[in-house]
């Protein structure tokens, strides 16, 4: 399976960007590997591709990083600004550890919150 690379998730020729730290991309790859069903994994990868296109064609930047306790956080800000508009923390729950939870979902939730706020 192709790994998610934090450097390829951004495209500066468009407006919005998706920024992943190294730890966040490693954590995301680990969660993708844990997905139990191959069909679900393909569906999540397709969602991730669509999410990247949505972010790139928007006026928002999404910053994803890992917290010290292993949870992940997605901060959304206006393009070029460091002031966050919305954020969502993805907690490592039982469903996530067993491979039943969509690891992309929290980024999409943060992005939707930002769209609603502006």
């Amino acid at each position: 399976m192709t790994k998610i690379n934090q450097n390829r998730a951004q495209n500066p020729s468009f407006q919005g960007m998706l920024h992943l730290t190294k730890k966040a991309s490693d954590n995301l790859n680990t969660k993708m590997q844990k997905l139990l069903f191959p069909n679900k994994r393909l569906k999540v990868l397709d969602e991730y591709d669509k999410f990247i296109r949505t972010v790139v064609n928007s006026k928002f930047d999404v910053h994803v990083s890992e917290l010290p306790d292993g949870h992940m956080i997605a901060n959304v800000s206006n393009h070029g600004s460091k002031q966050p508009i919305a954020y969502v923390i993805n907690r490592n729950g039982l469903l996530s550890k067993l491979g039943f939870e969509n690891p992309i979902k929290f980024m999409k939730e943060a992005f939707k919150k930002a769209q609603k706020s502006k």
Side-chain angles (χ1 to χ4, degrees), residues 11-114:
N11 190 344
S13 63
F14 293 96
Q15 225 176 11
M17 289 190 190
L18 176 61
H19 304 273
L20 295 168
T21 63
K22 170 107 173 78
K23 285 190 169 192
S25 66
D26 291 345
N27 191 333
L28 196 57
N29 281 315
T30 302
K31 288 183 179 189
M32 294 292 254
Q33 298 276 333
K34 286 183 181 179
L35 289 174
L36 294 178
F37 306 108
N39 291 341
K40 182 167 178 128
R41 189 175 300 132
L42 290 174
K43 182 180 175 186
V44 169
L45 284 171
D46 187 49
E47 276 183 51
Y48 183 68
D49 287 342
K50 288 177 184 175
F51 178 68
I52 290 173
R53 279 186 238 118
T54 302
V55 170
V56 164
N57 292 322
S58 74
K59 61 179 181 176
F60 300 110
D61 290 340
V62 180
H63 302 271
V64 181
S65 57
E66 185 176 319
L67 298 172
D69 55 2
H71 303 310
M72 292 176 58
I73 185 168
N75 290 310
V76 182
S77 61
N78 282 324
H79 182 65
S81 172
K82 296 292 181 185
Q83 194 69 14
I85 298 171
Y87 74 94
V88 171
I89 297 174
N90 182 24
R91 306 220 184 267
N92 291 328
L94 181 62
L95 292 177
S96 178
K97 290 178 183 176
L98 294 176
F100 289 111
E101 188 175 87
N102 183 344
I104 309 299
K105 185 177 178 182
F106 78 102
M107 290 187 263
K108 291 171 72 174
E109 288 176 13
F111 189 76
K112 285 180 185 177
K113 280 184 178 181

